[in-house]
Every structure is written in structure tokens, then in C-alpha cells.
Amino acid sequence: MVLLNLVPYLLLLFISTFLGVGCKNRTWGLIFVLAIFVGFRYGVGWDYWNYTRAIQEAGYGLDRFEWLPRQLGYIAHELSFVQLYFIVVAFFSMLFVIKALKRMSENFSVSLYIFLTFPLFFLFSLVIDRFFLALAIMFYGSTFLFKGRKIIPFIICLLIAFNIHKASLVSILFLIPYYIRVGQKMNLFLFVFASMVTSFISLYIVELVVVLGGISGIMEDGLNSFVKYAEQAYSSDMNKIPYLFYVINIINLLFRKNLFRDNESIDTYLTIFNIGCCLMLL
């Protein structure tokens, strides 16, 4: 049964690899194939049924969305075509990811393969739609910092992403490694510090949120949603995946001179990866 469930993903991997290895005019075909796979799914992902109900009812659930996805939800509601929401979000998610990979990767085929097969990359788009779209936009926006350190296009991408998912504001931290060179020792310190405080956060923050919510009585729905997501993430197998990133991060930082050429771009990449790991810890 497990092997049978893998068939669609293996087929997608085969088709995507074929399109990714080919000439440039196959790029749009690749984007459409990935978008169709994600956008036409049924019942897959934590948010699928919540989003479906919100769009069908066009009530409070939809009002909780940021401005851009809320407008898309209203359009899908008026057309009585809920799946339109998932299709549009999937298309733009794949568009920005593929465009960013095309812009930055020295070997697009390898980068595409890693994107499709590595945990928390492509499959994450099947789980959290708005967040992944905002992440894809900021991934693309970060390429402007690499290509000539152009901050204006990055800020424009940030403003768009912020109106899709407010968590995208965290990507403002991308500016740190681009304008301040963070060395190996500082990166190690940041990671160790994040590791030390994570136990405190995991033990007390959720309880504190519940207590404050009960005392104040404000933002009750938002607090309940936060607690629900925290409990789901902790109880699912996905809470084990970040450890893979932590191991890779430690290897990168401890053996940086042995694994990579000595240049500023590598330090920037490693710092961004380390910041991401620190945020996952927190």
C-alpha cells in the first residue's frame, strides 16, 4: 500500500526531472505540472478542509486570511469553485520557486531534484498553502540581494509576501548576512544560544499563551489556533524533520573550511541556513 501511494510522487519526479533537464522552453511546462499536482489535490494538508470551509462560507474563517488570499477566497466563493484557490496559490508558489532556482543555481537539475525530494521543500506546499507561497516569494526576492544587492525588489517582494502571510516578515533577517559578514564563531554561538532557550520556550510558552488568553479573553480564536498548530506539530512525525537540518547545519559550521571554497558567498549561504535553523529551534 505504501509503494502504491508513492506512485503519483514517483511519476511526478520522473516528469519533472525530464522537464527540468530539458531546454528553457520547458520551464513553463515544469511549473504547470507541479502546480497541477499541488492545486488539484483533494483532502491533503492540515489546512485543506479549514480553507475549504472558509471559502464556502465566506465568513470569519476567510476574514482571518491576509488581504491577497482573502480576495482570492472571495473570488473562489463567488464562482462556487473552491479548488480555484488552491490552483492559483500552487501556480504562483511553483512559479517563484522555479524562477529563483533558475536564477541562482549552477546546476538547475540537481537543485530541482533536491527541491522535490528533500523534506520540508516541495511536499511542504501540500500542507501549508499561504505560508509556502509567501516563502516562495521571499526565496525569489532574496535572489535580488545576491544579484547585485538590490534591496528595492527585495522590499517589494516582502510587502507582497506580508499580505499573503504575516510570518514572511521574519525574512527581513535576510538583510543581516548580506550587509554584515557573520563569521563561523558567531554562527556557532547563535545556534548554541537558540538550542539553550528552545527548551524554555517549548515548556512554558504554550502554557503562558493559554493562561494569558484565559485572563484577557482577547484574541481567543487566534490563541486557540496557535495552540492547535503547536500540538499538531509536536505530535506529528514532522517534528523530527528539523533535526536533519540541525545536523547538516552543525556539519557545515564545524567543517566549513574542508567542505567549501573560501569566499564570501558561501559564508552568506551558511549564515542564512544557520538563521533558519535557529528560528526552527525557537
Side-chain angles (χ1 to χ4, degrees), residues 181-185 187-188 248-263 266-267 270:
R181 185 163 184 173
V182 181
Q184 180 183 21
K185 292 182 179 179
N187 272 315
L188 284 170
I248 294 174
N249 187 47
I250 292 172
I251 293 174
N252 286 342
L253 295 178
L254 292 180
F255 303 101
R256 180 245 182 276
K257 293 183 179 179
N258 304 93
L259 296 173
F260 308 103
R261 297 190 304 271
D262 189 18
N263 62 67
I266 290 299
D267 288 334
L270 295 182

Short mmCIF file of all heavy atoms in Angstrom, two decimals, residues 181-185 187-188 248-263 266-267 270:
data_model
loop_
_atom_site.label_atom_id
_atom_site.label_comp_id
_atom_site.label_asym_id
_atom_site.label_seq_id
_atom_site.Cartn_x
_atom_site.Cartn_y
_atom_site.Cartn_z
N ARG A 181 28.91 40.60 7.59
CA ARG A 181 29.51 39.27 7.47
C ARG A 181 29.56 38.62 8.85
O ARG A 181 30.22 39.12 9.77
CB ARG A 181 30.90 39.35 6.87
CG ARG A 181 31.51 37.98 6.63
CD ARG A 181 32.68 38.03 5.70
NE ARG A 181 33.20 36.70 5.41
CZ ARG A 181 34.14 36.44 4.52
NH1 ARG A 181 34.67 37.43 3.82
NH2 ARG A 181 34.55 35.21 4.31
N VAL A 182 28.86 37.51 8.99
CA VAL A 182 28.82 36.77 10.26
C VAL A 182 29.76 35.59 10.15
O VAL A 182 29.62 34.74 9.27
CB VAL A 182 27.38 36.28 10.56
CG1 VAL A 182 27.34 35.54 11.89
CG2 VAL A 182 26.41 37.45 10.56
N GLY A 183 30.74 35.54 11.03
CA GLY A 183 31.76 34.50 10.97
C GLY A 183 31.31 33.18 11.56
O GLY A 183 30.21 33.04 12.09
N GLN A 184 32.21 32.22 11.47
CA GLN A 184 31.90 30.86 11.94
C GLN A 184 31.61 30.83 13.44
O GLN A 184 30.65 30.20 13.87
CB GLN A 184 33.08 29.93 11.61
CG GLN A 184 32.87 28.49 12.06
CD GLN A 184 34.10 27.63 11.78
OE1 GLN A 184 35.21 28.15 11.63
NE2 GLN A 184 33.91 26.32 11.72
N LYS A 185 32.42 31.53 14.23
CA LYS A 185 32.25 31.51 15.68
C LYS A 185 30.91 32.13 16.09
O LYS A 185 30.22 31.62 16.98
CB LYS A 185 33.41 32.24 16.35
CG LYS A 185 34.75 31.53 16.23
CD LYS A 185 35.84 32.28 16.95
CE LYS A 185 37.18 31.54 16.83
NZ LYS A 185 38.28 32.26 17.51
N ASN A 187 28.19 32.34 14.24
CA ASN A 187 27.13 31.41 13.83
C ASN A 187 26.98 30.27 14.83
O ASN A 187 25.86 29.88 15.17
CB ASN A 187 27.43 30.85 12.44
CG ASN A 187 26.88 31.72 11.33
OD1 ASN A 187 25.75 32.18 11.39
ND2 ASN A 187 27.68 31.96 10.31
N LEU A 188 28.10 29.73 15.28
CA LEU A 188 28.04 28.66 16.28
C LEU A 188 27.42 29.16 17.58
O LEU A 188 26.61 28.46 18.21
CB LEU A 188 29.45 28.11 16.55
CG LEU A 188 30.02 27.18 15.48
CD1 LEU A 188 31.50 26.92 15.75
CD2 LEU A 188 29.25 25.86 15.45
N ILE A 248 22.88 18.90 9.51
CA ILE A 248 23.54 19.50 8.34
C ILE A 248 24.18 20.83 8.73
O ILE A 248 25.31 21.15 8.33
CB ILE A 248 22.54 19.69 7.19
CG1 ILE A 248 22.06 18.33 6.68
CG2 ILE A 248 23.16 20.49 6.06
CD1 ILE A 248 20.96 18.42 5.64
N ASN A 249 23.47 21.62 9.52
CA ASN A 249 23.98 22.92 9.94
C ASN A 249 25.25 22.78 10.77
O ASN A 249 26.23 23.51 10.57
CB ASN A 249 22.90 23.65 10.75
CG ASN A 249 23.29 25.08 11.07
OD1 ASN A 249 23.74 25.83 10.21
ND2 ASN A 249 23.12 25.48 12.32
N ILE A 250 25.25 21.85 11.70
CA ILE A 250 26.44 21.63 12.55
C ILE A 250 27.63 21.20 11.71
O ILE A 250 28.75 21.68 11.89
CB ILE A 250 26.12 20.59 13.64
CG1 ILE A 250 25.10 21.15 14.63
CG2 ILE A 250 27.40 20.18 14.38
CD1 ILE A 250 24.58 20.13 15.62
N ILE A 251 27.39 20.29 10.76
CA ILE A 251 28.47 19.83 9.87
C ILE A 251 29.00 21.00 9.05
O ILE A 251 30.22 21.17 8.90
CB ILE A 251 27.97 18.69 8.95
CG1 ILE A 251 27.66 17.44 9.78
CG2 ILE A 251 29.01 18.38 7.88
CD1 ILE A 251 27.02 16.33 8.99
N ASN A 252 28.10 21.82 8.52
CA ASN A 252 28.52 22.98 7.73
C ASN A 252 29.40 23.93 8.53
O ASN A 252 30.43 24.41 8.03
CB ASN A 252 27.29 23.75 7.23
CG ASN A 252 26.57 23.03 6.10
OD1 ASN A 252 27.13 22.14 5.47
ND2 ASN A 252 25.34 23.42 5.86
N LEU A 253 28.99 24.20 9.77
CA LEU A 253 29.71 25.17 10.57
C LEU A 253 31.04 24.64 11.11
O LEU A 253 32.04 25.36 11.15
CB LEU A 253 28.83 25.63 11.74
CG LEU A 253 27.55 26.39 11.37
CD1 LEU A 253 26.76 26.75 12.61
CD2 LEU A 253 27.89 27.64 10.57
N LEU A 254 31.07 23.36 11.49
CA LEU A 254 32.30 22.79 12.07
C LEU A 254 33.34 22.46 11.00
O LEU A 254 34.55 22.55 11.26
CB LEU A 254 31.97 21.53 12.88
CG LEU A 254 31.16 21.75 14.16
CD1 LEU A 254 30.92 20.42 14.86
CD2 LEU A 254 31.90 22.71 15.11
N PHE A 255 32.88 22.08 9.81
CA PHE A 255 33.81 21.64 8.76
C PHE A 255 33.73 22.55 7.53
O PHE A 255 33.93 22.09 6.41
CB PHE A 255 33.50 20.19 8.37
CG PHE A 255 33.56 19.24 9.54
CD1 PHE A 255 32.40 18.80 10.15
CD2 PHE A 255 34.78 18.80 10.03
CE1 PHE A 255 32.44 17.93 11.22
CE2 PHE A 255 34.83 17.93 11.11
CZ PHE A 255 33.67 17.49 11.72
N ARG A 256 33.45 23.81 7.77
CA ARG A 256 33.29 24.78 6.68
C ARG A 256 34.51 24.84 5.77
O ARG A 256 34.40 24.82 4.54
CB ARG A 256 33.01 26.15 7.28
CG ARG A 256 32.83 27.26 6.24
CD ARG A 256 33.94 28.28 6.37
NE ARG A 256 33.78 29.37 5.44
CZ ARG A 256 34.19 29.35 4.20
NH1 ARG A 256 34.74 28.26 3.70
NH2 ARG A 256 34.05 30.39 3.41
N LYS A 257 35.72 24.88 6.33
CA LYS A 257 36.93 25.00 5.52
C LYS A 257 37.21 23.75 4.70
O LYS A 257 37.82 23.83 3.63
CB LYS A 257 38.12 25.32 6.42
CG LYS A 257 38.04 26.70 7.07
CD LYS A 257 39.29 26.99 7.90
CE LYS A 257 39.20 28.38 8.53
NZ LYS A 257 40.40 28.67 9.36
N ASN A 258 36.78 22.60 5.20
CA ASN A 258 37.01 21.35 4.48
C ASN A 258 35.99 21.11 3.37
O ASN A 258 36.29 20.43 2.38
CB ASN A 258 36.99 20.16 5.45
CG ASN A 258 37.98 20.32 6.58
OD1 ASN A 258 37.63 20.82 7.64
ND2 ASN A 258 39.23 19.91 6.37
N LEU A 259 34.79 21.66 3.54
CA LEU A 259 33.70 21.36 2.61
C LEU A 259 33.53 22.40 1.50
O LEU A 259 33.04 22.08 0.41
CB LEU A 259 32.38 21.24 3.38
CG LEU A 259 32.28 20.09 4.38
CD1 LEU A 259 30.98 20.20 5.18
CD2 LEU A 259 32.33 18.75 3.66
N PHE A 260 33.93 23.65 1.77
CA PHE A 260 33.61 24.73 0.84
C PHE A 260 34.85 25.56 0.50
O PHE A 260 35.80 25.61 1.26
CB PHE A 260 32.53 25.66 1.43
CG PHE A 260 31.31 24.95 1.91
CD1 PHE A 260 31.12 24.73 3.27
CD2 PHE A 260 30.36 24.48 1.02
CE1 PHE A 260 29.99 24.07 3.72
CE2 PHE A 260 29.23 23.82 1.46
CZ PHE A 260 29.05 23.62 2.82
N ARG A 261 34.77 26.20 -0.68
CA ARG A 261 35.80 27.15 -1.06
C ARG A 261 35.69 28.38 -0.18
O ARG A 261 34.62 28.73 0.31
CB ARG A 261 35.64 27.55 -2.54
CG ARG A 261 35.81 26.39 -3.51
CD ARG A 261 35.89 26.91 -4.94
NE ARG A 261 34.73 27.72 -5.28
CZ ARG A 261 33.61 27.23 -5.78
NH1 ARG A 261 33.48 25.92 -6.01
NH2 ARG A 261 32.60 28.02 -6.07
N ASP A 262 36.79 29.09 -0.03
CA ASP A 262 36.82 30.27 0.84
C ASP A 262 36.35 31.49 0.05
O ASP A 262 37.13 32.13 -0.65
CB ASP A 262 38.24 30.50 1.37
CG ASP A 262 38.27 31.58 2.43
OD1 ASP A 262 37.21 31.90 2.99
OD2 ASP A 262 39.37 32.12 2.69
N ASN A 263 35.05 31.79 0.14
CA ASN A 263 34.54 33.01 -0.49
C ASN A 263 33.35 33.53 0.32
O ASN A 263 32.73 32.80 1.09
CB ASN A 263 34.15 32.77 -1.95
CG ASN A 263 33.04 31.74 -2.10
OD1 ASN A 263 31.91 31.98 -1.69
ND2 ASN A 263 33.37 30.59 -2.66
N ILE A 266 29.68 31.84 0.15
CA ILE A 266 29.46 30.64 0.97
C ILE A 266 29.12 31.04 2.40
O ILE A 266 28.21 30.47 3.01
CB ILE A 266 30.70 29.73 0.93
CG1 ILE A 266 30.86 29.09 -0.44
CG2 ILE A 266 30.60 28.65 2.00
CD1 ILE A 266 29.69 28.22 -0.86
N ASP A 267 29.83 32.02 2.95
CA ASP A 267 29.53 32.48 4.31
C ASP A 267 28.11 33.02 4.40
O ASP A 267 27.41 32.81 5.39
CB ASP A 267 30.52 33.57 4.73
CG ASP A 267 31.91 33.01 4.99
OD1 ASP A 267 32.00 31.82 5.33
OD2 ASP A 267 32.89 33.76 4.84
N LEU A 270 25.70 29.99 4.36
CA LEU A 270 25.75 29.25 5.62
C LEU A 270 25.08 30.04 6.74
O LEU A 270 24.43 29.45 7.61
CB LEU A 270 27.21 28.94 6.00
CG LEU A 270 27.96 27.99 5.06
CD1 LEU A 270 29.37 27.74 5.57
CD2 LEU A 270 27.22 26.67 4.91
#
